[in-house]
Amino acid sequence: MHDLVIFDCDGVLVDSEPLSNQVLVDNLGRYGLNLTLEDSIAFFLGGTMTGVRDKARALGANLPDDWVDEVYAETYDRLRQGVDLVRGIPELLTALDSKGIPFCVASNGSPDKMKITLGQNGLWERFSEAMYSAHVLGTAKPDPVMFQTAADQFGATAPVVIEDSQNGVMAAKRAGMRCLAYAPHGQGDKLAEFGAEVFIDMAEVPTLLGI
């Protein structure tokens, strides 16, 4: 049995990706790069904001030097207006608790962002002492360090990662960890190519974990 579940945050615990990407679409449109929401998700899902900046510039956006701070502020303002948990997450966490399986969150996002999204959904207290952020560790997925750090600190020998992005799946595979990829909107083929086991409903996870 797995002895640690490592959750990604955006798109796995909280349904924040459509909101955050709409902020990107609106913002980048002001700088000469017109994208659809689908474009933004395809280009930027699972990346870092500096990576988004560099890719957007390569695509033709004329971004100012302080763009990362600007878009973070706009994103946080939008998320404060309300973001839902991913359907089935409360029940999944209860199932893990009932089996005594610890869990944590590992995200390319900042602790400030996770405090906004998890805090308004009653999960900040459950994850605040079990949180790994690229902004704190100084290295982001697809680098496996975040997952390896989590496993080491929990003393886990059989961790499993739940992800929704290519960078996350790649990080799990590089860490030698089993990866379940949440793909409710039909984007799972590419994640499967990277070695993830694809599922579309959080209710499937207990069976996949053997609990």
Side-chain angles (χ1 to χ4, degrees), residues 20-197:
S20 298
N21 277 277
Q22 188 60 55
V23 170
L24 278 178
V25 168
D26 296 342
N27 177 287
L28 292 174
R30 301 199 302 269
Y31 293 108
L33 180 60
N34 295 310
L35 301 174
T36 66
L37 181 61
E38 292 74 20
D39 289 336
S40 181
I41 291 172
F43 286 143
F44 306 133
L45 180 69
T48 62
M49 203 58 78
T50 53
V52 171
R53 177 198 63 198
D54 295 345
K55 188 171 184 67
R57 282 175 170 165
L59 292 168
N62 183 22
L63 303 182
D65 291 341
D66 63 349
W67 180 81
V68 169
D69 291 336
E70 174 189 301
V71 79
Y72 270 134
E74 292 178 8
T75 300
Y76 293 175
D77 284 346
R78 175 61 188 87
L79 293 174
R80 287 189 187 97
Q81 296 174 32
V83 57
D84 294 329
L85 289 177
V86 167
R87 186 169 60 89
I89 281 296
E91 294 81 2
L92 175 54
L93 298 182
T94 297
L96 294 174
D97 282 337
S98 71
K99 296 295 184 181
I101 300 173
F103 48 82
C104 65
V105 59
S107 175
N108 278 354
S110 69
D112 288 343
K113 184 180 182 184
M114 286 188 274
K115 189 166 188 177
I116 293 168
T117 58
L118 298 176
Q120 63 185 266
N121 286 290
L123 293 187
W124 176 253
E125 292 76 13
R126 304 191 76 180
F127 283 98
S128 61
E129 299 300 319
M131 178 175 295
Y132 301 88
S133 166
H135 290 235
V136 175
L137 292 175
T139 181
K141 309 168 197 175
D143 190 309
V145 166
M146 199 162 6
F147 294 154
Q148 292 166 335
T149 300
D152 288 346
Q153 291 189 355
F154 275 86
T157 57
V160 60
V161 174
I162 302 181
E163 269 288 348
D164 71 330
S165 72
Q166 291 180 42
N167 280 342
V169 173
M170 289 170 63
K173 291 291 114 178
R174 289 173 179 175
M177 297 178 184
R178 183 186 183 195
C179 185
L180 307 181
Y182 180 56
H185 306 299
Q187 75 276 33
D189 289 350
K190 190 157 286 190
L191 300 180
E193 289 177 10
F194 284 93
E197 301 167 54

